[in-house]
Amino acid sequence: MDALNDLLQRVRQLQGPIKQQERAAVSTRTREMAMAGQPRMGEALILGKIAPEELVREINKWVELPMFGQQRGGEGLVPEALRLWRSMLVSLDLSAGFIQGQALFFRNNVAWWKAQVGALTSIVDQPVSYVAKHYDVIQEGIKNGAIVPPSEMLFSEKGLASLPAKVPVVGQAFKRLNRAFEWFIFVGQIELYRAAKGTKAEAELVSLGTAIRKIMGTESYATLGVSRRQQAVEAYLAFAPRFYRALYGTVAQAFTAGEGAAAARQALGAMIAGATALTVGVNYATERKLPNFTEVDIETWGKAKIGDSYVSFYGPFHSFFRTLARAGVYTSQGDPKRAAIEIGRFFKSKASLPVRALETAAEIAVTGESRTFEGERID
């Protein structure tokens, strides 16, 4: 019995050092695992993974990822302020359906309504059931470049452009309305891709993807190969550079070849035909006459009268079409200088807020007045 007690006493004495050794081993393994997750010389982290530093630097040059903004200390005060202004404009009035979705409304009206339902549903909660139902199509669409988020119009997670979502009480309303804008674009892209993909080959689907993201008013700088420096320049010069690239890129793509070009032509053709038919029909119903498509200098060009005002069914394309009409008329009248001024005025109307402010100040300083895109004097 004494021998057994001596043995138990000896085991108890050994337990202390053994536990200390176990704790030391666990601590060592923890440190080793932490060190294994940290980049060594010549390496860097990208999305939580270790990769060669040169590769990360090259990706950082061309692709915009959230972590890179943190590495560079944020986007900067002016870009964040511009993003905040854009996000507020597109969020509060649920206008995506008649701006980014204008071409979709006429090209695929069923998809437009599904996108509207997705947007309104997302105000209450994220429509995850829709994502689950179309998961494979979404993955394929992202891979082929058809599904791209409209990031330049969305509130950010941090910085100045995140402030509206953090305001007490109304912050959630801002966040949900901005989310509705995002879901309209997302569902519209998915439905367009679903309807058009058929049994096309991968190269044709990639070409189709370029048109779909343009039709929905989004564009991918990574796909285009636009460097971060050029992105920054565009952000300072234009109010919504990606949206403008997409909008007028659809027109340019319509004159090329391939599946994407065919999709662009179909969308533009449907939009022009549908908007013109609506303009004629509505104006005839209210005015008992055809709308104004001949007097390009009059503000009512290409619009239908509803109540006491005139409305355009061409959405964001209206100013573009009217500029072409004015430039064509002025050129045919032997006044190319006036046509050039009109085109210049159109581009100035798409400028960012800082550029517009500088341009207006310079115009007033030189001429004593400033004019809007419509040519009206600003008092």
Side-chain angles (χ1 to χ4, degrees):
M1 190 69 179
D2 292 338
L4 179 60
N5 289 334
D6 291 341
L7 179 61
L8 291 173
Q9 184 67 25
R10 198 171 300 148
V11 169
R12 292 191 192 100
Q13 291 174 351
L14 291 173
Q15 280 180 340
I18 291 173
K19 288 183 178 179
Q20 289 179 356
Q21 291 176 2
E22 288 178 347
R23 284 196 292 269
V26 170
S27 178
T28 301
R29 283 197 301 271
T30 302
R31 284 197 304 271
E32 289 175 349
M33 291 175 66
M35 291 177 63
Q38 296 298 318
R40 295 173 292 182
M41 186 177 293
E43 296 177 336
L45 280 174
I46 176 169
L47 298 178
K49 305 293 183 182
I50 296 176
E53 190 174 12
E54 291 184 2
L55 174 62
V56 175
R57 193 181 301 116
E58 190 66 19
I59 293 174
N60 188 10
K61 178 181 176 183
W62 297 102
V63 183
E64 182 180 355
L65 294 175
M67 60 171 289
F68 294 134
Q70 298 170 13
Q71 289 179 347
R72 292 169 177 261
E75 295 180 11
L77 183 61
V78 175
E80 285 185 3
L82 295 176
R83 180 171 178 174
L84 172 63
W85 181 250
R86 288 193 299 263
S87 302
M88 292 293 289
L89 285 179
V90 303
S91 298
L92 301 183
D93 57 0
L94 296 174
S95 60
F98 299 99
I99 300 178
Q100 280 78 3
Q102 188 73 14
L104 177 66
F105 179 84
F106 294 105
R107 176 66 187 94
N108 190 328
N109 195 251
V110 173
W112 187 88
W113 281 107
K114 287 183 179 180
Q116 288 285 36
V117 170
L120 294 175
T121 303
S122 71
I123 295 177
V124 180
D125 195 10
Q126 301 271 21
V128 291
S129 59
Y130 178 87
V131 176
K133 182 178 179 181
H134 302 296
Y135 182 79
D136 292 337
V137 175
I138 294 171
Q139 288 291 95
E140 184 183 325
I142 292 173
K143 183 183 113 177
N144 291 319
I147 301 173
V148 178
S151 55
E152 69 175 351
M153 306 284 191
L154 303 178
F155 294 137
S156 59
E157 293 296 324
K158 59 168 70 175
L160 191 63
S162 69
L163 293 181
K166 297 178 180 179
V167 177
V169 184
V170 297
Q172 276 299 310
F174 285 140
K175 186 175 181 179
R176 289 169 185 265
L177 289 171
N178 191 239
R179 188 169 69 194
F181 172 86
E182 181 181 17
W183 273 95
F184 177 85
I185 305 297
F186 184 58
V187 175
Q189 290 172 337
I190 294 168
E191 292 299 326
L192 268 180
Y193 186 78
R194 283 182 61 213
K197 74 185 192 78
T199 57
K200 294 179 176 65
E202 185 172 352
E204 294 174 323
L205 290 174
V206 171
S207 176
L208 178 66
T210 64
I212 288 176
R213 63 175 184 262
K214 289 186 181 76
I215 291 169
M216 291 304 301
T218 59
E219 192 49 280
S220 169
Y221 277 145
T223 304
L224 295 175
V226 178
S227 69
R228 291 182 67 86
R229 181 173 297 176
Q230 183 176 339
Q231 294 175 34
V233 171
E234 290 184 5
Y236 278 100
L237 294 180
F239 175 70
R242 294 192 192 187
F243 174 63
Y244 295 145
R245 272 180 173 271
L247 194 69
Y248 306 117
T250 306
V251 178
Q253 189 171 14
F255 292 93
T256 62
E259 288 294 329
R265 285 192 294 270
Q266 290 167 357
L268 280 175
M271 188 273 296
I272 293 171
T276 303
L278 265 177
T279 303
V280 172
V282 171
N283 199 76
Y284 194 82
T286 58
E287 291 277 275
R288 292 299 172 185
K289 65 179 182 180
L290 293 176
N292 171 31
F293 279 111
T294 55
E295 301 296 327
V296 295
D297 290 322
I298 300 178
E299 187 184 351
T300 60
W301 185 92
K303 296 180 179 180
K305 188 171 185 181
I306 299 179
D308 295 329
S309 61
Y310 286 86
V311 177
S312 169
F313 295 106
Y314 296 97
F317 287 96
H318 180 266
S319 60
F320 176 70
F321 291 149
R322 193 172 119 175
T323 298
L324 292 180
R326 284 181 169 181
V329 169
Y330 298 155
T331 302
S332 67
Q333 292 174 347
D335 195 353
K337 182 179 179 180
R338 192 178 178 190
I341 291 173
E342 192 64 34
I343 293 172
R345 187 178 292 158
F346 169 78
F347 281 110
K348 284 191 288 187
S349 72
K350 309 305 176 187
S352 66
L353 295 178
V355 173
R356 286 193 207 180
L358 290 172
E359 190 271 334
T360 301
E363 204 172 34
I364 293 173
V366 174
T367 65
E369 63 178 23
S370 181
R371 294 185 178 272
T372 66
F373 168 69
E374 303 290 346
E376 298 174 351
R377 180 176 176 175
I378 300 175
D379 295 326

